[in-house]
Amino acid sequence: MINTRLSMGIHILSLVALSNDPENLNSEWIATSINTNPVVVRRLTSSLKKANLVKAYVGNRGLQLMKEPEDISLLEILKAVDPNNHLFHIHQNSNIQCTVGRNIESTLGSIFNDIQKETEWKLANLKLDDVMRDLESKN
Amino acid sequence: MINTRLSMGIHILSLVALSNDPENLNSEWIATSINTNPVVVRRLTSSLKKANLVKAYVGNRGLQLMKEPEDISLLEILKAVDPNNHLFHIHQNSNIQCTVGRNIESTLGSIFNDIQKETEWKLANLKLDDVMRDLESKN
DNA sequence: ATTGTTGTAACTATGATAGTTACGTAGGTG
DNA sequence: CACCTACGTAACTATCATAGTTACAACAAT
C-alpha cells in the first residue's frame, strides 16, 4: 500500500465517533483536523457512506456512525476507501521462454496472496474502538 | 510496498539458484528473463551483493549464491533491495489543536508497526528454497 | 429564494519508480 | 601490454499513482 487513504479514513471515523457535536462535522472541519483539502475529505466520506459505515444526519448535515465502533473493523475501512489495495507488486511480462520467467508470477502470486490474507485478517480483528481507546489514552 | 524490487530480486536469485551455467549469467541474460533493462538488473544484483546474498565468480563473471537457498529468507532479500519499505503510509502534519489530529499518527504508527512486524516475520520464514520448489513443481 | 453543504468531474503538482544512455573501472585473455 | 567483456553508478527521462485544487451542479432546510 502506498497511499494514506486507510489512515485518513480512520482519522475521519475517529473524529465522527469522538465528536461532541457530530451534526456540525462538515468536510471543512474534518479537513482542518487532517490538514488537507475538503474535497479530499469528501471523496473519502463519500466512499465511507457507500460502504454503510457512516451516514449524514437529516439534511446532509454532519456525520454519524452506522455501527458501533467495536463493530467497525479496519479492514472494512480499507475496503471502503481503497478496494483494490495490494501490499505487494509483482513485475509483469516475464519471459515465458525461461522456466523461471514463465512461472514466477504465479509462484509469487500465491505467496504474496497468503501474506495479503494474513494482513487482512489482522485488520479485520482491529476495530475502530481499539483506535479510539488508544487515542483517548493519550489525552 | 508499491515497487517490484522484492519480486525482481527473488526472480534474480531463483535464476542464479537454478542456472545450469551460472558463470555465464550476466545482467543481459537476466534482463531478458525478467524482461527489463540490464541496468535495472545490475542495480538489484549490486544490492544483493552488498547484502552478501550473491557474489560473482572469479573475474566478475556470473553469479553464485553465498548461502544455501534454504538459508536465504525473503525478508533478507527485501531488506537488501528495499531497505526502507513500509506497508502502510500515515498522513502527516495533522492538526495538533485537535485531540485526534494530535495523536492519530502515534496511534496508527504502533498499530501499523505491529502488522509490519508480522509481515516481516512471515517473510523471514519463507525461503528462496520454497520459491524454487514451487517454481520447479510447475515445470 | 437563499444558504450551506455535498458529490463529482477535471485538472495540476508532486514524488516514486523503472527504464535508458553513457561512461569509468576492473579483471581476464590473447 | 592491448583488448575485451561485464559491472557499478551517475544522470536523465517517461510513466504513473496520489493528493491537492478549482469549479460547479444538486439537494435539503429554512
Side-chain angles (χ1 to χ4, degrees):
Chain A
M1 166 148 33
I2 189 187
N3 61 50
T4 55
R5 291 203 281 270
L6 173 58
S7 144
M8 288 193 193
I10 296 171
H11 189 145
I12 291 171
L13 294 179
S14 300
L15 283 173
V16 173
L18 295 169
S19 171
N20 304 321
D21 186 18
E23 301 207 21
N24 286 313
L25 205 56
N26 59 22
S27 62
E28 187 80 32
W29 202 153
I30 298 174
T32 302
S33 171
I34 297 186
N35 196 22
T36 183
N37 189 290
V39 175
V40 172
V41 173
R42 277 183 244 151
R43 277 202 283 251
L44 290 166
T45 54
S46 176
S47 301
L48 294 169
K49 285 173 181 174
K50 282 171 185 153
N52 291 315
L53 297 178
V54 287
K55 64 179 179 189
Y57 288 88
V58 196
N60 261 336
R61 289 188 66 77
L63 289 170
Q64 57 185 313
L65 296 183
M66 290 183 73
K67 300 199 248 181
E68 295 303 311
E70 53 268 33
D71 296 325
I72 297 180
S73 74
L74 303 196
L75 180 60
E76 285 173 278
I77 305 173
L78 174 61
K79 295 284 186 196
V81 296
D82 190 10
N84 297 316
N85 101 89
H86 287 288
L87 297 176
F88 300 98
H89 281 224
I90 302 174
H91 57 288
Q92 307 286 307
N93 304 115
S94 288
N95 189 336
I96 58 170
Q97 316 262 57
C98 162
T99 310
V100 174
R102 182 163 52 246
N103 299 305
I104 192 79
E105 192 168 334
S106 121
T107 292
L108 292 184
S110 54
I111 290 175
F112 290 167
N113 198 52
D114 281 355
I115 301 182
Q116 175 89 24
K117 290 284 174 249
E118 288 240 351
T119 303
E120 293 187 357
W121 174 251
K122 271 284 252 180
L123 289 174
N125 286 290
L126 281 163
K127 308 296 181 177
L128 181 59
D129 188 54
D130 300 319
V131 175
M132 289 166 59
R133 277 189 284 116
D134 197 274
L135 283 170
E136 286 179 315
S137 76
K138 301 190 196 246
N139 231 324
Chain B
M1 163 147 34
I2 190 186
N3 62 51
T4 56
R5 291 203 280 271
L6 172 58
S7 144
M8 288 194 193
I10 296 172
H11 190 146
I12 292 171
L13 294 179
S14 301
L15 283 173
V16 173
L18 295 170
S19 171
N20 304 321
D21 187 19
E23 301 205 22
N24 286 313
L25 205 56
N26 59 24
S27 62
E28 189 79 33
W29 201 158
I30 297 173
T32 301
S33 172
I34 298 186
N35 196 21
T36 183
N37 189 291
V39 175
V40 172
V41 173
R42 293 203 287 264
R43 279 203 282 253
L44 290 166
T45 53
S46 176
S47 300
L48 294 170
K49 285 173 179 174
K50 283 173 184 151
N52 292 315
L53 296 178
V54 286
K55 65 179 179 189
Y57 287 88
V58 197
N60 262 337
R61 288 189 67 77
L63 288 170
Q64 57 185 312
L65 297 183
M66 289 182 73
K67 300 200 251 182
E68 295 303 313
E70 53 267 33
D71 296 326
I72 297 180
S73 73
L74 303 196
L75 180 59
E76 286 174 278
I77 304 173
L78 174 60
K79 295 284 185 196
V81 297
D82 190 9
N84 299 315
N85 100 88
H86 287 288
L87 297 177
F88 299 98
H89 281 222
I90 303 175
H91 57 288
Q92 307 286 307
N93 306 115
S94 288
N95 189 336
I96 57 170
Q97 318 261 57
C98 162
T99 310
V100 174
R102 183 163 53 245
N103 299 307
I104 192 80
E105 193 169 332
S106 120
T107 292
L108 292 184
S110 54
I111 290 175
F112 290 167
N113 199 52
D114 280 355
I115 300 181
Q116 175 89 25
K117 290 283 174 248
E118 287 240 351
T119 303
E120 293 188 357
W121 173 251
K122 271 284 254 178
L123 289 173
N125 286 290
L126 282 164
K127 309 295 182 177
L128 180 58
D129 187 54
D130 300 320
V131 175
M132 288 166 59
R133 275 188 287 117
D134 197 273
L135 284 171
E136 287 179 317
S137 78
K138 297 186 199 252
N139 233 323

